[in-house]
Amino acid sequence: MRPIIIDTDPGIDDVVAITTALFSEKLDVRLLSTVGGNVGIENTTKNTIDLVTFLGEDTPIAKGASEPLLGETRTASTVHGASGIGTYQFNVEGNKSLLTKVNAIEELHNRIINAHEPVTLVAIGPLTNIALLFKAFPEVKANIEQVVLMGGAVEGGNATPVAEFNIYADPHAAKIVFDSDVEVVMCGLDGTSKTSVSAADLEKVRHQGAVGEMMYEMLVHLKKGGGYTDEAIAIHDMCTIMYLTHPELFTTKRAKVNVATEGPAAGCTVTHFQEDGNVSVCVDTDTETFREEFLKVFAD
Ligand code: BDR
Ligand code: CA
């Protein structure tokens, strides 16, 4: 099993990604670290604790940064709802003992340094925690296999005409991560918009027990909040996990990525395709096969 740590801001598509990772026999989720993003840190941490408790798992959870390195805090509650998970309510008493004693930056450091094999970091929220980790403890980079992140786009944006939300929410942190010498996989909007399911697919998971009901209710909310059609409801964050478990579904191209941090282009990931870049950019997704795999996870 591949050791991974997921840095996350649940967020509906974060919930889908985390659940898929916890269900996978290929992945060993060692830690979930939380970050403020879609909603504030208190909610993203609560949602993570409630989800892990609901799933009956015991994955440790470390609470991370509440705001970006610089600039104003931006959320996506119009998409994910005020709580971050739409109108869904976990009917559980979240197990607070899952929370680590130290904060996310220290916990990430300890877990990565003490791991016997290189760890893959999956980042599906703003990159604040990862940037702080790289600055405070640069030695961790030697034991990171790669950073697989949901963020950015070769073209276009969803937070501004040129910026994707996770990068826009903390462009300075994103710049630190892309400029590091760590191997990065960028699952940006070009690939993640096609990591989508249909409303008919959601009907198939709807009656598959408590997990299926949760998925259904949350994804119906995401469809409305994200303004998606019945044909293509993008589950952006799930792209990162599927990239690890089913890399054959994705087309990637090597690149160097520069992040604009200020002005009207803030959050734009300026992508230069070049073989010697440190980034594999996901430029396309096999949507049909992705849907089949999604149904195998949630409707089988
Ligand atoms: C990204 O932004 C968030 O709203 C989602 O959870 C995802 O990580 C998509 O742009
Ligand atoms: Ca997210």
Side-chain angles (χ1 to χ4, degrees):
M1 281 176 115
R2 181 179 188 147
I4 71 166
I5 290 174
I6 305 177
D7 189 74
T8 181
D9 64 334
I12 292 171
D13 52 336
D14 300 76
V15 167
V16 185
I18 293 166
T19 306
T20 307
L22 290 173
F23 283 179
S24 171
E25 285 170 6
K26 295 182 181 171
L27 303 175
D28 176 13
V29 185
R30 302 259 174 104
L31 176 72
L32 296 163
S33 51
T34 61
V35 65
N38 285 320
V39 289
I41 188 69
E42 297 305 329
N43 276 336
T44 61
T45 305
K46 179 185 187 316
N47 293 340
T48 308
I49 294 171
D50 288 353
L51 172 65
V52 172
T53 308
F54 171 78
L55 293 174
E57 302 279 345
D58 58 2
T59 317
I61 296 162
K63 186 176 176 181
S66 59
E67 52 193 41
L69 299 183
L70 294 169
E72 64 186 271
T73 301
R74 297 178 165 113
T75 69
S77 55
T78 49
V79 178
H80 299 267
S83 71
I85 52 172
T87 51
Y88 186 78
Q89 302 223 328
F90 289 106
N91 282 321
V92 292
E93 180 65 35
N95 178 3
K96 303 240 175 25
S97 73
L98 296 171
L99 268 181
T100 60
K101 292 198 170 57
V102 296
N103 71 30
I105 312 307
E106 281 186 65
E107 190 68 32
L108 283 160
H109 166 254
N110 297 345
R111 297 255 169 195
I112 294 167
I113 284 296
N114 293 324
H116 296 301
E117 51 190 320
V119 175
T120 293
L121 264 184
V122 177
I124 53 178
L127 290 160
T128 320
N129 288 340
I130 314 301
L132 289 169
L133 175 72
F134 285 5
K135 284 294 175 191
F137 302 109
E139 64 274 20
V140 296
K141 293 188 220 165
N143 209 27
I144 293 176
E145 175 93 34
Q146 55 186 5
V147 176
V148 181
L149 64 89
M150 190 285 132
V154 178
E155 276 181 36
N158 59 1
T160 78
V162 296
E164 180 281 329
F165 175 76
N166 286 341
I167 307 298
Y168 185 63
D170 196 343
H172 297 89
K175 183 169 172 52
I176 289 169
V177 175
F178 280 108
D179 286 353
S180 73
D181 45 11
V182 170
E183 174 70 25
V184 173
V185 178
M186 174 173 127
C187 297
L189 295 175
D190 321 274
T192 66
S193 298
K194 295 181 181 169
T195 305
S196 66
V197 295
S198 67
D201 293 326
L202 297 188
E203 289 299 329
K204 293 179 189 156
V205 306
R206 182 175 192 173
H207 301 294
Q208 302 288 329
V211 173
E213 279 166 30
M214 167 187 73
M215 286 297 147
Y216 177 81
E217 190 171 327
M218 285 195 196
L219 288 169
V220 165
H221 186 100
L222 185 68
K223 175 175 169 268
K224 277 193 224 126
Y228 297 118
T229 64
D230 277 356
E231 283 67 46
I233 304 152
I235 314 179
H236 297 290
D237 289 340
M238 195 172 169
C239 185
T240 56
I241 302 301
M242 291 298 278
Y243 173 82
L244 292 173
T245 58
H246 297 78
E248 68 280 4
L249 300 190
F250 304 96
T251 309
T252 59
K253 275 170 89 173
R254 295 296 285 180
K256 170 90 185 95
V257 175
N258 293 318
V259 181
T261 54
E262 304 290 344
C268 179
T269 43
V270 182
T271 308
H272 303 278
F273 290 111
Q274 55 192 73
E275 281 308 318
D276 62 349
N278 64 324
V279 185
S280 283
V281 179
C282 176
V283 292
D284 200 8
T285 303
D286 172 352
T287 306
E288 278 317 304
T289 315
F290 166 73
R291 285 181 180 173
E292 286 166 18
E293 294 301 329
F294 172 86
L295 291 175
K296 277 188 202 162
V297 178
F298 294 112
D300 243 11

